[in-house]
Amino acid sequence: HKIKLLSQTGVIKSGGGLNPFTAFSIQHALTSGAIHSHITHLNHIYKSRLDALCSSLSQLIPECHFQKPCGGYFVWIKLPTYILYPEFMPMATGKYRIQFPSGTLFSVSQGNRAFGDYARLSFAFYTEQELRYFVGQFKKAIEWYVIKKREKSSELNNKDIPTIEM
């Protein structure tokens, strides 16, 4: 009902659309100081999410190396050497319902496959519970991948693939 009322206002019908309304809203948030409390609130949320992701990675998948970022919305992880992203991701997506982009997508020199052994994980859009679940599924996907890789390749040097204790 409220949306219908708003859609009939002069601002929408002949005032240039929502841009003036959005600009007024932002201007009010800035001049009233409301933006400061909102940013503080968002900082708390994002810090909690980042902490959940990083602590879960450290506890469950210590073979994935990363540095906890001081800003931004992503954690870059270095995948273990025995994981080949093009092999791993279809299985992880299909069996464990997880997905994340390879670092190659974010390299300015994509031709040489820079950052192919890295992945970029977002914590901005997910709850702490969802992030912990993701890392648990990621761990299961790695375990499954290692088992399947061992089964598929007899010529593979098994020293390169760790034994996983379940």
Side-chain angles (χ1 to χ4, degrees):
H1 178 71
K2 290 182 181 182
I3 292 176
K4 187 174 183 178
L5 285 174
L6 282 173
S7 71
Q8 300 303 312
T9 65
V11 168
I12 301 299
K13 288 189 158 219
S14 67
L18 290 177
N19 277 341
F21 177 76
T22 303
F24 174 77
S25 298
I26 296 298
Q27 186 239 353
H28 175 71
L30 290 170
T31 57
S32 72
I35 194 79
H36 299 295
S37 63
H38 184 65
I39 289 172
T40 299
H41 174 71
L42 289 176
N43 281 341
H44 175 73
I45 288 171
Y46 291 139
K47 182 184 181 322
S48 296
R49 291 175 181 179
L50 173 63
D51 290 346
L53 178 59
C54 290
S55 66
S56 295
L57 285 169
S58 293
Q59 291 170 8
L60 297 177
I61 317 175
E63 62 270 26
C64 288
H65 301 284
F66 67 93
Q67 283 189 317
K68 188 174 180 180
C70 296
Y73 303 104
F74 303 97
V75 174
W76 282 79
I77 62 169
K78 183 165 178 38
L79 298 170
T81 56
Y82 54 86
I83 291 181
L84 300 175
Y85 182 89
E87 283 180 1
F88 176 77
M89 191 46 58
M91 181 275 308
T93 302
K95 185 164 178 62
Y96 293 98
R97 313 289 294 161
I98 63 169
Q99 191 169 14
F100 51 84
S102 167
T104 57
L105 290 175
F106 309 99
S107 171
V108 293
S109 55
Q110 289 183 10
N112 69 6
R113 313 230 349 112
F115 300 109
D117 52 348
Y118 284 83
R120 190 178 84 157
L121 307 180
S122 171
F123 59 88
F125 299 110
Y126 306 100
T127 65
E128 293 170 40
Q129 182 180 357
E130 290 170 322
L131 291 165
R132 287 187 190 102
Y133 177 78
F134 164 80
V135 175
Q137 291 297 97
F138 188 16
K139 177 187 169 91
K140 290 177 188 175
I142 290 173
E143 291 168 348
W144 181 256
Y145 176 78
V146 167
I147 290 167
K148 290 301 175 189
K149 198 165 181 176
R150 282 184 185 273
E151 289 174 358
K152 282 171 65 173
S153 179
S154 60
E155 71 270 1
L156 186 63
N157 182 352
N158 287 336
K159 293 189 303 193
D160 296 337
I161 301 177
T163 303
I164 298 195
E165 299 174 17
M166 292 190 220

